[in-house]
Amino acid sequence: MQNTYLVGGAVRDKLLGLPVHERDWVVVGSTPEALLAKGFKPIGKDFPIFLEPNTQEEYALARTERKTGKGYYGFECYARPDVTLEQDLSRRDLTINAMAETLEGEIIDPFGGQQDLKNKILRHVSPAFSEDPVRVLRVARFAARLAPLGFTVAAETQDLMRTMVTSGEVDALVAERVWQEMVRALGEKDSAQFFEVLRSCGALQRLWPALDKLWGIPQPAQHHPEIDTGVHTMMALGIACQLSTDTVIRFAVLCHDLGKGDTPPKEWPSHRGHEERGVARIQEFCRRYRVPSEYKELAVLVSRFHLHCHRVAELRSDTLLKTLERLDAFRQPERFEKFLLACEADARGRAGLETAQYPQAARMRRAYQVAKAVSVQPLIAMGLEGAVLGERLHQERVRAIEGDLKPMPPIQ
């Protein structure tokens, strides 16, 4: 089909030498009727987007947009045959996403995207960037994706994003889109950059004030050489990204110290009780952005019990078993493993301790395995049932843990 161009991320990633996972196309000089006649299936609710019948790739008619109100949906779309390729590209967010490629392989680059790729710069295409608050999230997400390659956000783009925050445009973001972009950012190699970029332009304070508040709050230097709670949180998230690609774990690490933001300043640098205070902050965030339950549940458990894991060497066998029970480890062993990884990320997310061992996880895991190996059948054969059976099983598991685990010196 003539006047068809590969656009957006596929062109960008191809030029960067990265894998191209999906390809999007723009069609210039055509109409919905013409595409329907060729067997294309319409899928765009608000925009003229179609699926190609053979490849199932997305084809969109070239379009322009006019701002009509606040937020992501405050646009009027114009998609007719007179819209040019350059006009279509001009409405895109970043120069590196505003390139096209012809069917013959020629790059069309009206806004300097190739030069910005070379200079490793994330730069907005035009002042129209400020009309869509989702672009603030997208810039932060691209920063997280491309930071390992050395990319940074252009100063003028940072300034524009700050203006969007102060004007209230960011406040119009819908909950589903914020979470969608955030969870995608949590899947990137350097997730912390997403939150750093949002913080630098003031958007983090609007979108997640409980997280933004952590910067500047001190912690005891003997346990946290980096001192600052916000810095520690980003370091821990960085370790989590090394340990696992699971965004559920990464989210839990991000949330584990939210309670420190509510510690009265007169108690600093101590944060007694921050574990439970953090639970309320997690639940508040998850309600606001309709976060899936598996994310919320692990985050709450990590907030409540990460210190139990760090201090496992000091716990009595009964306390250790009760912790395993409250973690629901016996019924949800996979989530228990995620909990241990999140605790390890917290422990290693400290200045000078990034490569430290974390034997606490092995001790928690061993206690779980020993307790789990205790059979309930002999107790049932004795005629025990109900609450009496549960209590006796608990006692037998405590004895098994006491008999198996060797003393372990306290670990800082």
Side-chain angles (χ1 to χ4, degrees), residues 144-216:
R145 176 181 297 179
L146 298 176
L149 299 181
F151 277 75
T152 57
V153 181
E156 60 267 37
T157 301
Q158 291 179 328
D159 290 341
L160 187 55
M161 290 163 65
R162 291 189 192 98
T163 299
M164 293 170 69
V165 172
T166 57
S167 71
E169 184 68 35
V170 167
D171 299 334
L173 282 166
V174 297
E176 292 86 353
R177 195 59 195 271
V178 173
W179 175 248
Q180 180 185 41
E181 291 294 328
M182 187 175 295
V183 78
R184 290 180 70 181
L186 284 171
E188 302 293 353
K189 289 184 178 180
D190 191 354
S191 298
Q193 277 301 311
F194 177 80
F195 301 97
E196 294 281 14
V197 170
L198 292 183
R199 178 172 172 263
S200 70
C201 71
L204 188 62
Q205 196 281 327
R206 299 292 185 91
L207 298 172
W208 198 350
L211 178 62
D212 181 77
K213 192 177 181 181
L214 297 183
W215 275 267

Side-chain angles (χ1 to χ4, degrees), residues 391-406:
E391 178 59 29
R392 181 62 180 273
L393 179 61
H394 178 89
Q395 294 172 0
E396 294 300 323
R397 284 174 166 173
V398 169
R399 292 191 186 96
I401 292 172
E402 286 178 341
D404 183 84
L405 293 184
K406 296 178 174 59

Side-chain angles (χ1 to χ4, degrees), residues 87-135:
Q87 285 176 320
D88 181 272
L89 294 176
S90 71
R91 67 176 176 77
R92 297 174 186 264
D93 49 10
L94 299 173
T95 61
I96 64 170
N97 296 330
M99 296 179 286
E101 181 180 303
T102 67
L103 298 178
E104 295 73 32
E106 176 190 354
I107 300 298
I108 299 173
D109 180 17
F111 304 105
Q114 291 179 95
Q115 188 61 45
D116 282 343
L117 281 180
K118 181 179 179 181
N119 295 335
K120 302 183 185 303
I121 291 291
L122 301 175
R123 188 192 318 276
H124 64 283
V125 171
S126 76
F129 177 99
S130 64
E131 296 176 350
D132 184 358
V134 171
R135 289 172 173 173

Side-chain angles (χ1 to χ4, degrees), residues 319-363:
T319 303
L320 177 48
L321 179 58
K322 286 179 179 177
T323 301
L324 293 172
E325 291 170 344
R326 294 185 69 185
L327 290 169
D328 203 14
F330 301 106
R331 292 194 304 174
Q332 300 197 56
E334 291 183 1
R335 192 178 67 182
F336 174 58
E337 287 295 328
K338 293 180 181 184
F339 167 82
L340 294 178
L341 281 174
C343 291
E344 180 176 352
D346 173 31
R348 289 172 51 192
R350 298 180 288 170
L353 297 170
E354 296 88 344
T355 60
Q357 297 296 309
Y358 189 65
Q360 294 97 320
R363 190 172 180 88

Side-chain angles (χ1 to χ4, degrees), residues 64-76:
T64 60
E65 294 168 347
R66 185 172 67 87
K67 185 73 169 174
T68 58
K70 279 189 174 294
Y72 177 63
Y73 296 108
F75 290 91
E76 183 179 278

